[in-house]
Amino acid sequence: MKPSRGVIAVSVTALLLLTGCTTPSVGTVVISWHEESKDPVGQQVLMQGATLLADQGAWDQWVKDLPADMRQARTGELGDVTLTDGVAVVAVWNRCTESSEILHTGHGTLEFHVIEDEAQTMCAWSPRRVEVWNVPLESLGVGREDVTLAD
């Protein structure tokens, strides 16, 4: 007796749920500036969202374009970032109780995601946060030229 399609579909769904088949989080924050700690957060990087810096030249240009007070506040850390084995994602967002992560949705596509930890909290002020994420290419399983950042 062959199992019905419904039984197979339920079995596959249960297996996926039990094995925790989800979109993996990748990378680590290597540098951050945030207004709640009185860090300088210059107007020139106050865009919202994320930017992919896929090679050392793009990184060097981004650092050069930083406001001087932000660059000076993290000079040593900025100099330590090399993109020989990975890419950088620069994310700018407002933080109240939220946290952030970089998701690998497959085939080298990254997505910056803000997680609402306490959706019911009403914040009078959500300070600006700038994060630099390092994402190793080995965690993506693709070459540098195949890495993209979803909108």
Side-chain angles (χ1 to χ4, degrees), residues 94-150:
N94 293 340
R95 179 183 189 277
C96 177
T97 60
E98 300 84 1
S99 58
S100 63
E101 65 184 349
I102 302 288
L103 301 176
H104 181 215
T105 58
H107 309 291
T109 301
L110 302 175
E111 181 179 305
F112 175 72
H113 185 110
V114 174
I115 305 162
E116 275 193 58
D117 293 333
E118 299 175 29
Q120 302 303 318
T121 302
M122 298 297 290
C123 295
W125 178 55
S126 294
R128 186 65 58 143
R129 177 176 286 275
V130 180
E131 294 176 334
V132 176
W133 289 76
N134 179 7
V135 181
L137 290 172
E138 70 180 19
S139 69
L140 305 177
V142 299
R144 180 179 314 283
E145 65 281 353
D146 295 322
V147 179
T148 59
L149 184 64

Side-chain angles (χ1 to χ4, degrees), residues 67-99:
D69 55 348
M70 288 181 71
R71 193 172 47 251
Q72 290 167 359
R74 297 285 190 274
T75 299
E77 295 165 284
L78 290 167
D80 290 342
V81 174
T82 59
L83 300 182
T84 54
D85 298 326
V87 297
V89 175
V90 177
V92 181
W93 54 290
N94 293 340
R95 179 183 189 277
C96 177
T97 60
E98 300 84 1
S99 58

Side-chain angles (χ1 to χ4, degrees), residues 56-71:
Q56 196 65 40
W59 170 257
D60 293 342
Q61 185 61 52
W62 185 80
V63 170
K64 181 181 173 189
D65 292 341
L66 272 175
D69 55 348
M70 288 181 71
R71 193 172 47 251

Side-chain angles (χ1 to χ4, degrees), residues 13-74:
T13 301
L15 181 62
L16 289 173
L17 289 173
L18 289 173
T19 59
C21 189
T22 60
T23 304
S25 178
V26 294
T28 56
V29 175
V30 292
I31 304 170
S32 68
W33 295 263
H34 40 95
E35 290 177 306
E36 68 266 29
S37 69
K38 301 189 188 216
D39 275 342
V41 179
Q43 293 298 317
Q44 293 147 329
V45 293
L46 291 185
M47 87 296 183
Q48 192 78 1
T51 302
L52 175 67
L53 303 174
D55 59 47
Q56 196 65 40
W59 170 257
D60 293 342
Q61 185 61 52
W62 185 80
V63 170
K64 181 181 173 189
D65 292 341
L66 272 175
D69 55 348
M70 288 181 71
R71 193 172 47 251
Q72 290 167 359
R74 297 285 190 274

